Amino acid sequence: MERILALDVGEKRIGVAVSDELGLTAQPVGLIVRVGWGPDTKAVAAYAQTYQTRTVLCGLPLNMDGSEGAQAQKTRAFAQQLAQAGLTVLFWDERMTTVTAERALIEGGKRRAQRRDLVDRTAAAVILQGYLDAHREKERDKAMERNEENIVELIGEDGTPVSFEHLMTLEHQGQRYILLTPAEPETPDEEGSVVIMRISRDEQGEDCYIVEEDDEILDAVFNRFLELSEEEEDEEEE
């Protein structure tokens, strides 16, 4: 996973932080004393090269009502310089970030002089951690939505509903088959097991599922499922 470089862009200094390789935590890594757009951009690009990333997250200093003021426009103007240098720029609301960073340093027992030197890079880390946490929560919500959409509920022989996770629907020799796995395995043996059913039509023309009992067909469908799963994994890695 590509790391993310985060910037707390101030008038005189730019605090720099970077994410870990898993995108879980943010660490303050440095401070850029501002000289001008050109040198400042080169300094950011050097950090990006050090951490092998092209993605830069800029804290956007919004007003308390969410509107953009002069400082936010200055940050966007600097971000445009970074984009022209070939970096991918993202933005994150940094309201109260400096206050949070200052409080963290005070609680950590840092003296005033030390806080002055550390607050900008710590603010960059606070900005980045907020982004990482929100991004991870959003991905988790999406995964939960996908899982809910993939749940198939069938009626068991005793008349009780049983939930399955839909793995794949594929065609074999002119027939369609659905592959399911128990959504909530009751025993260790059920965990990871695959149920293969043939899709047919009932008298009302609705889809219905019939347990496939032909071992040769079961083997062929399962092997095709494994092939397609490997192809999907290869595409995701690319």
Side-chain angles (χ1 to χ4, degrees):
M1 180 177 179
E2 184 183 34
R3 290 181 167 188
I4 299 176
L5 199 71
L7 307 178
D8 176 46
V9 183
E11 292 280 359
K12 297 181 179 180
R13 297 178 300 274
I14 300 174
V16 185
V18 70
S19 66
D20 66 346
E21 294 178 346
L22 296 178
L24 299 176
T25 60
Q27 298 89 31
V29 294
L31 186 70
I32 298 171
V33 177
R34 302 203 66 173
V35 179
W37 277 4
D40 298 346
T41 299
K42 288 181 180 179
V44 173
Y47 272 105
Q49 185 175 7
T50 297
Y51 293 101
Q52 298 180 337
T53 182
R54 305 300 295 173
T55 303
V56 176
L57 179 73
C58 285
L60 197 61
L62 302 177
N63 295 323
M64 294 310 296
D65 62 358
S67 62
E68 294 189 14
Q71 193 58 44
Q73 293 303 314
K74 290 179 181 179
T75 299
R76 286 193 180 277
F78 180 60
Q80 188 174 1
Q81 299 297 311
L82 299 178
Q84 290 175 357
L87 298 172
T88 300
V89 182
L90 308 174
F91 295 97
W92 189 251
D93 182 359
E94 70 162 32
R95 279 176 290 183
M96 303 301 292
T97 295
T98 301
V99 174
T100 302
E102 184 80 27
R103 184 179 297 121
L105 291 173
I106 292 174
E107 291 175 354
K110 300 296 183 182
R111 296 181 178 179
R112 182 181 298 274
Q114 292 175 308
R115 294 201 302 269
R116 188 168 54 249
D117 292 337
L118 294 174
V119 67
D120 296 300
R121 66 191 76 184
T122 303
V126 172
I127 291 167
L128 181 53
Q129 192 65 58
Y131 172 84
L132 294 174
D133 292 344
H135 182 72
R136 190 162 55 253
E137 184 175 345
K138 184 181 295 184
E139 290 300 315
R140 185 165 54 245
D141 290 343
K142 287 181 180 178
M144 291 179 63
E145 289 177 4
R146 287 196 298 268
N147 288 337
E148 290 176 359
E149 292 173 357
N150 283 340
I151 296 300
V152 176
E153 191 172 79
L154 302 179
I155 304 300
E157 294 180 355
D158 59 356
T160 60
V162 182
S163 295
F164 292 88
E165 181 182 347
H166 174 247
L167 298 176
M168 187 178 295
T169 300
L170 55 83
E171 187 172 322
H172 174 70
Q173 295 183 346
Q175 294 283 349
R176 289 191 304 144
Y177 294 86
I178 186 170
L179 291 88
L180 309 169
T181 188
E184 298 178 0
E186 295 182 357
T187 65
D189 292 339
E190 287 186 351
E191 189 171 351
S193 63
V194 177
V195 177
I196 300 175
M197 307 183 79
R198 176 162 41 90
I199 302 175
S200 186
R201 296 279 186 177
D202 61 17
E203 295 179 354
Q204 287 74 39
E206 299 291 335
D207 283 350
C208 63
Y209 306 129
I210 301 173
V211 176
E212 181 58 62
E213 298 180 350
D214 188 308
D215 289 339
E216 290 186 4
I217 292 178
L218 289 172
D219 289 342
V221 172
F222 185 70
N223 289 333
R224 182 57 179 155
F225 162 69
L226 293 178
E227 291 174 1
L228 293 174
S229 297
E230 289 179 1
E231 291 176 5
E232 289 180 358
E233 289 179 2
D234 291 341
E235 289 177 0
E236 290 178 358
E237 290 178 358
E238 292 177 358

